[in-house]
Amino acid sequence: MQSQSLSYTDEVAKATAPLFEKLSNQYERDHWETLAPYIYEINRLKKEKNAVILAHNYMTPDVFFGVGDVVGDSLMLAQKAAESDADIIVQCGVHFMAETSKILCPEKKVLIPDMKAGCSLSESITAEDVRQLKKKHPGIPIVTYVNTSADVKAESDVCCTSSNALKIVNALGKQGHDTVIMTPDMYLAKNVAAETNVKVIFWEGACMVHERFTPQDIIDARKTYDDLIVLAHPECPPEVMAEADYAGSTAQMDTFIKEKQPKRAMLMTECSMSDNIAASNPGVEMIGTCQMCPHMKRITLPKILEALQTEQPEVIIDPALGKRAKVAVDRMLELS
Ligand code: 13P
Ligand code: SF4
């Protein structure tokens, strides 16, 4: 394999020096010298192949800062995939994100460095479940979180992400719908329900990462740091949201920290997000706690390089299914 011959040459050291300086709190020099050759080679190869790397905010800093061309939350990555003129999209995130890119860009080759990068929310609901919901509640729109398979999206009326869920439910309310069904994240649905007049029927799915946070985590941290600003992702249970100072998608949390520059902040979300924010905001002290998403952590530099070299594994969606799923994703992009 080509990647085995990669070494930390002077050229690699020079090209990656500014990044190492930025990430010097995250990586020891020895470790960095094993990562930098991958960063260098991935960046060379992606230019050669006209590939774009879409990296979610939960990627580790080496991937996020080292090779990501577009970084952000689910909504941002979907919007940028739709606009991209690259021939190849390498999705550094989980499988549903790569599927969303393929739905929006069926003519492009979409690669995911590890096919096993799944999501507990996506696995909690099937297309048949959605068909049954529609039978049980005829005429009620189905608002489906993007954290779902293409099959589930194809059965839904409109998608949403954590950054636009409330907006989309309210937009449906303005169109005369007094009730909507939100799938599959019950916590996102409950958090939206708390802020809208539209009645929300929910599915009992949950994110295996965010459901682990408790209000006590916040209460305990505030005992040590009385000036702590706590930001929570809307996949957290409502009791956690109630203790937090701010709620938002991963990109919204990032913007909040960039703009407000609090002295100390704690994120109720995935661990790498705090690492990435810490690297970009040296004046803000990031306090634990965090929870690791094992699916996101499957995406590593060696796997990204291999995906670019072999142009595998490729995400394939049946074109007819993709077209049906695109209706729900496009509707979301219009309403956002
Ligand atoms: P964002 O859309 O906020 O990036 O969330 C995606 C996700 O998977 C959170 O767990
Ligand atoms: Fe899915 Fe949760 Fe991981 Fe996000 S953090 S990809 S919702 S399991």
Side-chain angles (χ1 to χ4, degrees), residues 57 104 113 118 125 155 157-158 170 233 269 290-291 312 314:
N57 287 322
L104 289 168
I125 190 161
E155 293 294 338
D157 295 295
V158 55
N170 282 337
H233 194 276
T269 195
C290 69
Q291 298 282 354
Q312 291 291 329
E314 185 180 353

Side-chain angles (χ1 to χ4, degrees), residues 58 94 96 118-121 147 207-210 235 293 295-296:
Y58 294 164
V94 290
F96 76 78
C119 169
S120 63
L121 278 169
N147 297 37
C207 162
M208 60 185 280
V209 175
H210 291 89
E235 288 170 15
C293 174
H295 306 293
M296 290 279 182

Side-chain angles (χ1 to χ4, degrees), residues 270-288:
E270 213 273 341
C271 305
S272 292
M273 174 93 201
S274 295
D275 294 340
N276 294 333
I277 286 194
S280 295
N281 300 273
V284 181
E285 187 187 350
M286 300 304 293
I287 306 297

Side-chain angles (χ1 to χ4, degrees), residues 86-131:
D87 296 316
I88 298 176
I89 290 175
V90 184
Q91 195 86 33
C92 292
V94 290
H95 191 261
F96 76 78
M97 294 178 175
E99 275 198 335
T100 306
S101 292
K102 186 67 183 176
I103 289 165
L104 289 168
C105 315
E107 75 296 347
K108 292 191 201 308
K109 188 175 266 192
V110 177
L111 306 174
I112 181 156
D114 190 330
M115 266 297 176
K116 289 196 199 120
C119 169
S120 63
L121 278 169
S122 183
E123 279 147 31
S124 73
I125 190 161
T126 64
E128 181 53 27
D129 292 330
V130 182
R131 285 191 286 271

Side-chain angles (χ1 to χ4, degrees), residues 210-270:
H210 291 89
E211 71 176 345
R212 285 192 221 134
F213 290 112
T214 68
Q216 200 59 43
D217 295 333
I218 303 178
I219 293 163
D220 290 346
R222 287 202 204 276
K223 279 184 198 150
T224 314
Y225 307 103
D226 56 9
D227 54 357
L228 189 62
I229 299 297
V230 180
L231 293 82
H233 194 276
E235 288 170 15
C236 292
E239 314 80 75
V240 173
M241 306 298 274
E243 287 294 332
D245 300 298
Y246 178 79
S249 76
T250 57
Q252 288 166 336
M253 289 194 239
D254 184 56
T255 303
F256 180 99
I257 301 277
K258 263 187 199 133
E259 288 178 0
K260 307 268 188 233
Q261 291 290 302
K263 194 165 166 235
R264 287 195 185 89
M266 183 166 85
L267 305 186
M268 311 307 280
T269 195
E270 213 273 341

